[in-house]
């Protein structure tokens, strides 16, 4: 079974630029999560989708972050404009409907904002 | 509000010795508890979970964890450590009833010396 795919793996941008990350979850996984992992900290949930609907986006900085999952499969996370404090690893995870306690994580995208 | 604490930034143990990585939690309802492991340049991998039932749960790679409700702890254990167990370990909690968000601890780096 293929795992969660993410791209790009690494991205370096200057502050105030925009960036987008892509995630393809495991086939059949209805729930998709985006996490932000700052160096030395645990992952923090940014947004959770159930199919193409948002379940929780309470910790998403909506003035600069946006995410979509139009067809209930792939998802994109965008930052515009980026700030220095957005430097982190952005992790995508997915889980089967009804089994949110077994999340499968992708390799992450390491973002550096200079 | 739910929270997770991993009191040790790093745990050092000799190969062949037993290891314990500590975790305490706080939730308002019944907890769902998890351990994940993160190897360098790889995504988080699910190790084990406690949902209900036996307080001692067994997971991947010979790891186990003990749920202690009175002490609100969920320590990760392994009887005999391997050098290959060296990694970053995250404890996570999710409220069992109606909770959508999984909260991760800050992580504990395990270093197993040959």
């Amino acid at each position: 079974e293929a795992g969660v795919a993410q791209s790009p793996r690494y991205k370096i941008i200057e502050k105030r630029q925009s960036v987008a990350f892509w995630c393809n979850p495991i086939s059949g996984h209805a729930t998709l999560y985006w996490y932000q992992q700052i160096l030395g900290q645990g992952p923090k949930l940014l947004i959770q989708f159930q199919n193409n609907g948002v379940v929780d986006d309470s910790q998403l900085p909506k003035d600069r972050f946006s995410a979509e999952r139009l067809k209930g499969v792939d998802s994109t996370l965008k930052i515009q404009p980026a700030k220095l404090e957005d430097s982190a690893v952005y992790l995508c995870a997915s889980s089967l409907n009804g089994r949110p306690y077994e999340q499968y994580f992708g390799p992450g995208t390491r973002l550096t904002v200079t | 509000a739910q929270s997770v604490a991993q009191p040790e930034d790093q745990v050092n143990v000799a190969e062949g010795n037993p290891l314990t990585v500590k975790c305490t939690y706080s939730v308002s309802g019944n907890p769902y508890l998890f351990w994940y492991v993160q190897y360098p340049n790889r995504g988080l991998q699910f190790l084990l979970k406690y949902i209900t039932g036996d307080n001692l749960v067994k997971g991947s790679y010979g790891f186990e964890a003990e749920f202690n409700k009175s002490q609100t702890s969920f320590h990760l254990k392994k009887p005999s450590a391997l050098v290959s167990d060296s990694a970053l370990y995250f404890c996570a909690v999710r409220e069992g009833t109606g909770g959508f968000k999984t909260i991760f601890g800050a992580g504990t780096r395990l270093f197993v010396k040959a």
Side-chain angles (χ1 to χ4, degrees), chain A residues 3-112:
Chain A
V4 176
Q6 289 188 248
S7 68
R9 291 295 310 277
Y10 305 92
K11 190 74 177 178
I12 301 174
I13 61 172
E14 296 181 352
K15 60 183 179 183
R16 291 187 289 273
Q17 286 186 323
S18 63
V19 64
F21 312 128
W22 173 82
C23 173
N24 182 247
I26 293 173
S27 177
H29 282 197
T31 308
L32 186 147
Y33 315 78
W34 282 103
Y35 288 88
Q36 180 192 59
Q37 186 178 14
I38 293 173
L39 187 65
Q41 299 180 20
K44 182 183 82 172
L45 181 68
L46 292 176
I47 189 167
Q48 177 180 336
F49 292 95
Q50 181 78 18
N51 296 307
N52 59 351
V54 175
V55 172
D56 186 338
D57 64 356
S58 58
Q59 297 189 107
L60 186 74
K62 299 181 186 63
D63 58 334
R64 297 184 300 106
F65 286 63
S66 64
E68 61 182 12
R69 193 183 185 200
L70 291 175
K71 296 183 179 179
V73 181
D74 293 9
S75 177
T76 56
L77 176 70
K78 297 179 181 178
I79 308 175
Q80 182 179 13
K83 292 185 175 181
L84 296 176
E85 59 260 35
D86 298 332
S87 294
V89 176
Y90 291 84
L91 298 167
C92 180
S94 68
S95 64
L96 283 168
N97 199 17
R99 296 178 67 89
Y101 38 82
E102 286 191 32
Q103 297 181 28
Y104 294 83
F105 284 80
T109 297
R110 183 176 298 278
L111 174 67
T112 302

Side-chain angles (χ1 to χ4, degrees), chain B residues 73-87:
Chain B
S73 67
F74 189 57
H75 301 331
L76 182 70
K77 301 180 180 184
K78 187 173 183 181
S80 179
L82 299 172
V83 172
S84 57
D85 293 330
S86 299

Side-chain angles (χ1 to χ4, degrees), chain B residues 35-90:
Chain B
W35 277 100
Y36 285 82
V37 60
Q38 188 172 38
Y39 297 102
N41 298 315
R42 294 173 66 178
L44 275 76
Q45 295 179 34
F46 172 80
L47 270 182
L48 51 80
K49 68 179 184 291
Y50 171 83
I51 304 296
T52 187
D54 195 348
N55 289 344
L56 184 65
V57 294
K58 295 185 183 298
S60 307
Y61 312 122
F63 283 93
E64 57 189 29
E66 185 169 12
F67 170 61
N68 187 316
K69 188 173 183 178
S70 63
Q71 297 185 4
T72 62
S73 67
F74 189 57
H75 301 331
L76 182 70
K77 301 180 180 184
K78 187 173 183 181
S80 179
L82 299 172
V83 172
S84 57
D85 293 330
S86 299
L88 191 55
Y89 290 81
F90 291 95

